[in-house]
């Protein structure tokens, strides 16, 4: 694997292979020294043009646990703010010897440009590009879900999910599908792994062409709960920062119709995992009772992000996609 740009590029075998490597990476947390020397001498650049907490820190932790050197780049305070182009930034990083570039950008397709233009001879990982994709988030979501469904601990060492997919599961993705790169990556990956995906959103927050996606669509949350016993419900944040017009009457109306309220939480089957890619808006798209419940695996998703990103960087920079 030279780059990770989209979950649509992953076959079932590719995806399971990465998840299985991530299972092995969880064992590192049990070591007295939480490091592996596999990427010693390699340089990973976190090239972030958008604000991030979980993803940037997770990639930094992943690279350091693999003994790579890490350079964190933020557009704020850099030459980008002086007008430097993406090409010049990439070529500068290449001249400094970057072996892998983890890029987040508000422009959809930016990681693809970096990977295909020849501006830099480095592996490229898409850490979120506009409203397009966020493949490592989808991988960690599937890792967490696979753990939960096999009766393993939702995070940490001790998983027994190796080699398994998500066949037979039904996952609801609820909220701002239109602006969500997480939703797009999850639809691709979950269906590749055999899951059934149900999208729930107001019509105004569904993208054009959603009827061609491999997913069932509901406009009414309660109707979807009547129709399916979900194995997982993934709530999405409404991305107001990407909105330049009104997509629903008001926040109270949205929460009442499409939020995971206490009443809807109690309608879910006992085995349903509650997921959220973060950051959460408590009391808006998800109630505190659901977010803090024993069925919530939201913090497990964060923890698993490090192991999954370790697996991605390991596969990218060593060329090995199997066991360590």
């Amino acid at each position: 694997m030279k780059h990770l740009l989209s979950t649509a590029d992953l076959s079932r075998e590719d995806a399971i292979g990465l998840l299985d490597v991530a299972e092995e990476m969880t064992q590192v947390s049990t070591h007295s020294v939480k490091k592996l020397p596999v990427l010693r001498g390699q340089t990973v650049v976190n090239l972030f043009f958008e604000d991030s907490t979980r993803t940037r820190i997770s990639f930094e932790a992943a690279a350091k646990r693999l003994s790579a050197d890490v350079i964190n780049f933020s557009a704020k305070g850099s030459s980008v703010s002086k007008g430097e182009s993406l090409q010049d930034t990439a070529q500068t990083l290449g001249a400094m010897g970057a072996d892998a570039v983890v890029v987040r950008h508000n422009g959809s397709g930016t990681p693809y440009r970096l990977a295909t233009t020849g501006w830099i001879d480095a592996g490229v990982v898409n850490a979120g590009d506009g409203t397009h994709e966020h493949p490592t988030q989808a991988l960690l979501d599937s890792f967490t879900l696979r753990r939960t469904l096999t009766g393993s601990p939702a995070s940490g060492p001790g998983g027994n999910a190796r080699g398994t997919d998500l066949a037979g599961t039904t996952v609801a993705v609820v909220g701002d599908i239109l602006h969500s790169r997480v939703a797009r990556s999850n639809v691709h990956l979950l269906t590749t792994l055999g899951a059934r995906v149900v999208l729930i959103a107001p019509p105004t927050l569904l993208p054009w062409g959603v009827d061609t996606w491999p997913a069932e669509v509901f406009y009414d949350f309660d109707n979807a709960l009547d129709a399916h016993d979900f194995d997982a419900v993934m709530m999405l944040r409404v991305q107001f920062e990407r909105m330049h017009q009104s997509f629903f009457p008001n926040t109270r109306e949205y929460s009442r119709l499409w939020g995971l309220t206490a009443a809807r939480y109690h309608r879910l089957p006992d085995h349903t995992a509650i997921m959220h890619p973060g950051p959460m808006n408590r009391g808006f798209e998800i109630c505190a009772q659901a977010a803090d419940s024993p069925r919530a695996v939201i913090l497990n998703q964060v923890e698993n992000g490090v192991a999954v990103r370790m697996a991605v960087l390991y596969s990218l920079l060593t060329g090995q996609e199997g066991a360590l």
Side-chain angles (χ1 to χ4, degrees):
M1 184 172 69
K2 173 64 175 175
H3 309 291
L4 179 60
L5 307 177
S6 167
T7 52
D9 298 332
L10 298 175
S11 67
R12 176 183 178 277
E13 291 70 27
D14 293 334
I16 290 176
L18 282 171
L19 298 181
D20 287 351
V21 172
E23 287 285 359
E24 298 194 33
M25 294 300 180
T26 63
Q27 302 300 319
V28 176
S29 64
T30 66
H31 300 173
S32 56
V33 177
K34 296 180 176 61
K35 278 183 176 287
L36 292 174
V38 292
L39 297 186
R40 185 177 294 161
Q42 306 255 38
T43 300
V44 176
V45 178
N46 287 328
L47 182 62
F48 277 61
F49 293 85
E50 283 189 323
D51 293 339
S52 172
T53 300
R54 293 159 187 78
T55 303
R56 182 183 59 78
I57 293 174
S58 183
F59 267 111
E60 182 176 359
K64 287 182 175 179
R65 288 188 184 182
L66 295 173
S67 302
D69 298 316
V70 181
I71 299 173
N72 288 316
F73 172 98
S74 174
K76 295 176 182 177
S78 74
S79 293
V80 171
S81 62
K82 301 176 184 178
E84 183 174 71
S85 68
L86 178 66
Q87 177 180 351
D88 290 329
T89 299
Q91 290 176 331
T92 298
L93 295 174
M96 293 178 180
D99 297 292
V101 176
V102 178
V103 60
R104 168 168 286 190
H105 199 282
N106 59 6
S108 298
T110 298
Y112 180 82
R113 289 187 69 197
L114 283 179
T116 59
T117 53
W119 294 340
I120 187 170
D121 183 21
V124 176
V125 180
N126 182 359
D129 60 329
T131 60
H132 180 225
E133 282 219 40
H134 193 351
T136 59
Q137 179 68 45
L139 283 164
L140 72 89
D141 291 340
S142 287
F143 182 93
T144 306
L145 185 55
R146 192 174 76 153
R147 277 288 195 91
T148 303
L149 295 174
T150 56
S152 302
S155 58
N160 58 3
R162 288 175 177 82
T164 62
D165 60 16
L166 298 175
T169 63
T170 304
V171 180
V173 183
V174 188
D176 185 0
I177 310 293
L178 176 64
H179 301 102
S180 177
R181 51 198 175 205
V182 172
R184 286 167 174 79
S185 286
N186 265 302
V187 168
H188 290 313
L189 186 61
L190 289 170
T191 53
T192 295
L193 291 172
R196 181 179 189 177
V197 180
V198 177
L199 303 177
I200 305 168
T204 52
L205 288 178
L206 287 166
W208 181 86
V210 72
D211 55 311
T212 66
W213 292 18
E216 187 178 0
V217 177
F218 280 84
Y219 303 136
D220 187 293
F221 201 163
D222 293 308
N223 287 347
L225 291 175
D226 290 336
H228 295 286
D229 288 332
F230 292 112
D231 297 291
V233 172
M234 184 183 302
M235 302 305 299
L236 300 176
R237 180 178 66 88
V238 174
Q239 299 188 35
F240 290 106
E241 71 276 12
R242 300 188 193 277
M243 296 181 180
H244 305 291
Q245 57 184 310
S246 178
F247 287 84
F248 46 85
N250 53 61
T251 55
R252 180 179 295 180
E253 185 81 352
Y254 179 92
S255 182
R256 183 177 69 84
L257 294 175
W258 294 285
L260 184 55
T261 60
R264 292 192 179 104
Y265 164 70
H266 287 296
R267 289 189 60 190
L268 295 173
D270 291 340
H271 71 277
T272 304
I274 297 169
M275 309 178 77
H276 197 302
M280 289 187 294
N281 290 311
R282 288 171 179 263
F284 180 37
E285 77 264 8
I286 185 170
C287 68
Q289 186 176 4
D292 297 329
S293 73
R295 287 187 278 168
V297 293
I298 297 165
L299 290 179
N300 303 105
Q301 290 172 264
V302 176
E303 182 179 351
N304 291 334
V306 177
V308 165
R309 288 166 178 134
M310 288 172 71
V312 168
L313 292 173
Y314 170 79
S315 299
L316 202 76
L317 291 173
T318 67
Q320 300 181 49
E321 299 181 13
L324 291 172

